[in-house]
Protein backbone atom coordinates (compact mmCIF):
# COMPACT_ATOMS: atom_id res chain seq x y z
CA UNK A 1 0.00 0.00 0.00
CA UNK A 2 2.96 2.34 0.55
CA UNK A 3 4.01 4.29 3.60
CA UNK A 4 0.73 4.86 5.46
CA UNK A 5 -0.63 5.94 8.85
CA UNK A 6 -3.83 4.48 10.33
CA UNK A 7 -6.16 5.60 13.08
CA UNK A 8 -9.37 4.93 14.96
CA UNK A 9 -11.35 7.58 16.77
CA UNK A 10 -14.40 7.51 19.05
CA UNK A 11 -15.01 11.16 18.15
CA UNK A 12 -14.04 14.37 19.94
CA UNK A 13 -16.21 16.52 22.19
CA UNK A 14 -16.21 20.30 21.82
CA UNK A 15 -13.44 20.89 24.38
CA UNK A 16 -11.22 18.16 22.95
CA UNK A 17 -11.71 19.38 19.38
CA UNK A 18 -10.98 22.98 20.34
CA UNK A 19 -7.68 21.88 21.89
CA UNK A 20 -6.81 19.75 18.86
CA UNK A 21 -7.78 22.50 16.40
CA UNK A 22 -5.66 25.07 18.19
CA UNK A 23 -2.71 22.69 18.21
CA UNK A 24 -3.22 21.77 14.54
CA UNK A 25 -3.08 25.44 13.54
CA UNK A 26 0.15 25.80 15.47
CA UNK A 27 1.57 22.71 13.75
CA UNK A 28 0.65 24.15 10.35
CA UNK A 29 2.41 27.39 11.30
CA UNK A 30 5.46 25.46 12.47
CA UNK A 31 5.47 23.48 9.22
CA UNK A 32 5.50 26.71 7.23
CA UNK A 33 8.37 28.03 9.32
CA UNK A 34 10.25 24.80 8.61
CA UNK A 35 9.76 25.21 4.85
CA UNK A 36 7.08 22.51 4.52
CA UNK A 37 4.46 23.83 2.09
CA UNK A 38 0.91 22.74 2.95
CA UNK A 39 -2.33 23.28 1.03
CA UNK A 40 -5.91 22.02 1.01
CA UNK A 41 -5.09 19.66 -1.87
CA UNK A 42 -1.79 18.76 -3.58
CA UNK A 43 -2.94 20.12 -6.95
CA UNK A 44 -4.49 23.30 -5.53
CA UNK A 45 -1.51 25.05 -3.90
CA UNK A 46 -3.44 28.31 -3.42
CA UNK A 47 -6.06 26.58 -1.24
CA UNK A 48 -5.29 26.86 2.46
CA UNK A 49 -5.25 23.91 4.85
CA UNK A 50 -8.62 23.47 6.55
CA UNK A 51 -9.05 23.51 10.32
CA UNK A 52 -12.71 24.03 11.26
CA UNK A 53 -15.48 22.57 13.36
CA UNK A 54 -15.76 19.44 11.23
CA UNK A 55 -12.29 18.41 10.19
CA UNK A 56 -8.57 19.02 9.78
CA UNK A 57 -7.59 18.62 6.12
CA UNK A 58 -4.37 19.31 4.20
CA UNK A 59 -1.80 17.91 1.81
CA UNK A 60 1.61 18.75 0.50
CA UNK A 61 1.86 20.71 -2.74
CA UNK A 62 2.72 19.45 -6.23
CA UNK A 63 5.20 16.60 -6.22
CA UNK A 64 5.53 16.98 -2.44
CA UNK A 65 1.90 15.95 -1.99
CA UNK A 66 0.27 12.50 -1.97
CA UNK A 67 -3.00 11.48 -0.28
CA UNK A 68 -4.92 14.24 1.49
CA UNK A 69 -4.88 13.97 5.27
CA UNK A 70 -8.45 14.19 6.63
CA UNK A 71 -9.18 13.93 10.36
CA UNK A 72 -12.83 14.33 11.35
CA UNK A 73 -14.37 15.43 14.63
CA UNK A 74 -16.88 12.56 14.23
CA UNK A 75 -16.09 8.94 15.13
CA UNK A 76 -14.01 6.99 12.60
CA UNK A 77 -13.72 3.22 12.68
CA UNK A 78 -10.81 3.07 10.21
CA UNK A 79 -8.98 6.14 8.95
CA UNK A 80 -5.75 6.19 6.99
CA UNK A 81 -3.47 8.45 4.97
CA UNK A 82 -0.72 7.29 2.61
CA UNK A 83 1.92 10.04 2.62
CA UNK A 84 4.68 8.12 0.80
CA UNK A 85 6.97 9.84 3.31
CA UNK A 86 6.67 13.16 1.45
CA UNK A 87 7.63 16.30 3.47
CA UNK A 88 4.06 16.90 4.70
CA UNK A 89 4.30 13.56 6.51
CA UNK A 90 5.88 15.38 9.46
CA UNK A 91 2.74 17.52 9.89
CA UNK A 92 0.52 14.43 9.61
CA UNK A 93 2.51 12.60 12.30
CA UNK A 94 2.56 15.67 14.56
CA UNK A 95 -1.25 15.98 14.40
CA UNK A 96 -1.76 12.25 14.97
CA UNK A 97 0.46 12.48 18.05
CA UNK A 98 -1.47 15.49 19.28
CA UNK A 99 -4.85 13.86 18.59
CA UNK A 100 -3.89 10.90 20.78
CA UNK A 101 -3.33 13.39 23.63
CA UNK A 102 -6.61 15.23 23.11
CA UNK A 103 -9.27 12.54 23.00
CA UNK A 104 -10.24 8.88 22.50
CA UNK A 105 -7.93 8.38 19.54
CA UNK A 106 -5.37 5.73 18.65
CA UNK A 107 -3.04 5.48 15.68
CA UNK A 108 -0.47 3.19 14.13
CA UNK A 109 1.85 3.39 11.18
CA UNK A 110 4.00 1.55 8.69
CA UNK A 111 6.84 3.57 10.19
CA UNK A 112 8.62 3.48 13.54
CA UNK A 113 10.00 5.91 16.11
CA UNK A 114 12.87 6.88 13.83
CA UNK A 115 10.49 7.64 10.96
CA UNK A 116 8.33 9.81 13.24
CA UNK A 117 11.23 12.00 14.39
CA UNK A 118 10.27 14.85 12.04
CA UNK A 119 6.70 14.84 13.33
CA UNK A 120 7.84 14.76 16.93
CA UNK A 121 10.16 17.74 16.33
CA UNK A 122 7.40 19.66 14.55
CA UNK A 123 4.99 19.03 17.43
CA UNK A 124 7.58 20.21 19.94
CA UNK A 125 8.25 23.32 17.86
CA UNK A 126 4.54 24.07 17.64
CA UNK A 127 4.06 23.99 21.41
CA UNK A 128 5.37 27.53 21.69
CA UNK A 129 2.95 28.68 18.98
CA UNK A 130 -0.24 27.38 20.58
CA UNK A 131 -2.76 29.75 22.16
CA UNK A 132 -0.69 32.94 22.16
CA UNK A 133 -2.33 35.70 24.16
CA UNK A 134 -1.73 38.22 21.38
CA UNK A 135 -0.28 38.02 17.89
CA UNK A 136 0.84 41.13 16.02
CA UNK A 137 1.62 41.24 12.31
CA UNK A 138 2.91 44.61 11.12
CA UNK A 139 1.71 46.09 14.46
CA UNK A 140 -1.86 44.86 13.81
CA UNK A 141 -3.35 42.39 16.31
CA UNK A 142 -4.64 39.26 14.61
CA UNK A 143 -5.98 35.88 15.70
CA UNK A 144 -3.93 32.69 15.38
CA UNK A 145 -6.04 31.51 12.38
CA UNK A 146 -5.52 34.90 10.72
CA UNK A 147 -1.76 34.72 11.28
CA UNK A 148 -1.73 31.23 9.76
CA UNK A 149 -3.75 32.43 6.75
CA UNK A 150 -1.51 35.46 6.19
CA UNK A 151 1.59 33.28 6.17
CA UNK A 152 -0.07 30.73 3.86
CA UNK A 153 -1.04 33.49 1.41
CA UNK A 154 2.56 34.74 1.45
CA UNK A 155 3.79 31.23 0.59
CA UNK A 156 1.48 30.86 -2.42
CA UNK A 157 3.54 30.38 -5.59
CA UNK A 158 3.39 33.66 -7.49
CA UNK A 159 5.72 34.29 -10.43
CA UNK A 160 7.94 37.27 -9.80
CA UNK A 161 7.09 37.56 -6.11
CA UNK A 162 10.47 38.08 -4.49
CA UNK A 163 9.27 40.10 -1.53
CA UNK A 164 10.23 39.23 2.02
CA UNK A 165 7.45 38.48 4.51
CA UNK A 166 8.04 41.87 6.12
CA UNK A 167 7.57 43.60 2.75
CA UNK A 168 4.48 41.52 2.00
CA UNK A 169 2.62 42.46 5.21
CA UNK A 170 3.20 46.21 4.82
CA UNK A 171 -0.21 46.31 3.08
CA UNK A 172 -2.03 44.54 5.93
CA UNK A 173 -4.81 46.67 7.44
CA UNK A 174 -7.94 46.25 9.58
CA UNK A 175 -11.13 45.92 7.54
CA UNK A 176 -13.44 48.86 8.26
CA UNK A 177 -16.65 47.47 9.71
CA UNK A 178 -15.25 43.97 9.38
CA UNK A 179 -15.74 42.75 12.98
CA UNK A 180 -12.09 41.81 13.40
CA UNK A 181 -11.33 40.98 9.76
CA UNK A 182 -8.14 42.26 8.12
CA UNK A 183 -7.34 42.91 4.46
CA UNK A 184 -4.17 42.54 2.41
CA UNK A 185 -3.36 43.23 -1.26
CA UNK A 186 -2.45 40.15 -3.31
CA UNK A 187 -2.04 39.73 -7.07
CA UNK A 188 -4.03 42.83 -8.06
CA UNK A 189 -6.89 42.13 -5.67
CA UNK A 190 -7.60 42.62 -1.99
CA UNK A 191 -8.10 39.55 0.19
CA UNK A 192 -10.12 39.72 3.40
CA UNK A 193 -9.20 37.39 6.26
CA UNK A 194 -11.86 36.74 8.88
CA UNK A 195 -10.97 36.09 12.56
CA UNK A 196 -11.52 32.35 12.00
CA UNK A 197 -8.97 32.37 9.15
CA UNK A 198 -11.49 32.28 6.27
CA UNK A 199 -10.05 34.05 3.22
CA UNK A 200 -12.20 35.71 0.55
CA UNK A 201 -11.86 38.47 -2.01
Amino acid sequence: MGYTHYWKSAGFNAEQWAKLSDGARAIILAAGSAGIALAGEWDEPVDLPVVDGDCIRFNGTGNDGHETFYLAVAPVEFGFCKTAFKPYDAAVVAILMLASECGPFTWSSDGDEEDWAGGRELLAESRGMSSPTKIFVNDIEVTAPQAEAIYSIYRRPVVGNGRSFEEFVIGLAPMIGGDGAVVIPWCGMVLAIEPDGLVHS
Side-chain angles (χ1 to χ4, degrees):
M1 186 176 184
Y3 187 81
T4 304
H5 306 294
Y6 314 88
W7 61 88
K8 179 177 182 179
S9 169
F12 298 87
N13 63 33
E15 182 179 352
Q16 292 166 341
W17 188 251
K19 180 180 178 182
L20 178 54
S21 296
D22 183 63
R25 292 187 183 100
I27 288 167
I28 291 168
L29 277 174
S33 296
I36 302 171
L38 301 178
E41 299 290 345
W42 70 270
D43 57 348
E44 296 291 342
V46 298
D47 287 350
L48 300 175
V50 174
V51 181
D52 59 23
D54 297 317
C55 71
I56 298 166
R57 176 175 61 83
F58 63 87
N59 204 329
T61 60
N63 291 332
D64 285 337
H66 207 68
E67 285 187 353
T68 298
F69 176 71
Y70 184 94
L71 177 59
V73 65
V76 175
E77 184 62 30
F78 180 71
F80 64 92
C81 179
K82 179 164 56 175
T83 66
F85 215 61
K86 298 290 183 69
Y88 80 108
D89 178 76
V92 171
V93 169
I95 289 177
L96 292 174
M97 289 179 170
L98 179 63
S100 66
E101 298 175 7
C102 294
F105 180 93
T106 57
W107 69 286
S108 61
S109 173
D110 292 338
D112 55 26
E113 291 289 336
E114 184 176 345
D115 296 317
W116 305 333
R120 189 176 300 104
E121 291 171 8
L122 199 60
L123 178 59
E125 179 67 24
S126 74
R127 298 292 190 186
M129 298 181 178
S130 297
S131 300
T133 54
K134 291 184 179 181
I135 300 175
F136 290 91
V137 178
N138 195 30
D139 295 328
I140 297 170
E141 186 175 352
V142 297
T143 65
Q146 283 175 321
E148 171 193 333
I150 291 165
Y151 191 72
S152 295
I153 293 168
Y154 169 69
R155 289 188 57 81
R156 292 178 181 182
V158 178
V159 175
N161 182 15
R163 292 179 295 173
S164 68
F165 182 72
E166 290 74 18
E167 292 170 328
F168 171 71
V169 297
I170 287 175
L172 185 71
M175 181 176 177
I176 298 173
D179 293 326
V182 294
V183 293
I184 192 163
W186 185 77
C187 289
M189 66 180 85
V190 176
L191 299 180
I193 308 168
E194 302 292 341
D196 63 358
L198 175 68
V199 179
H200 57 89
S201 58

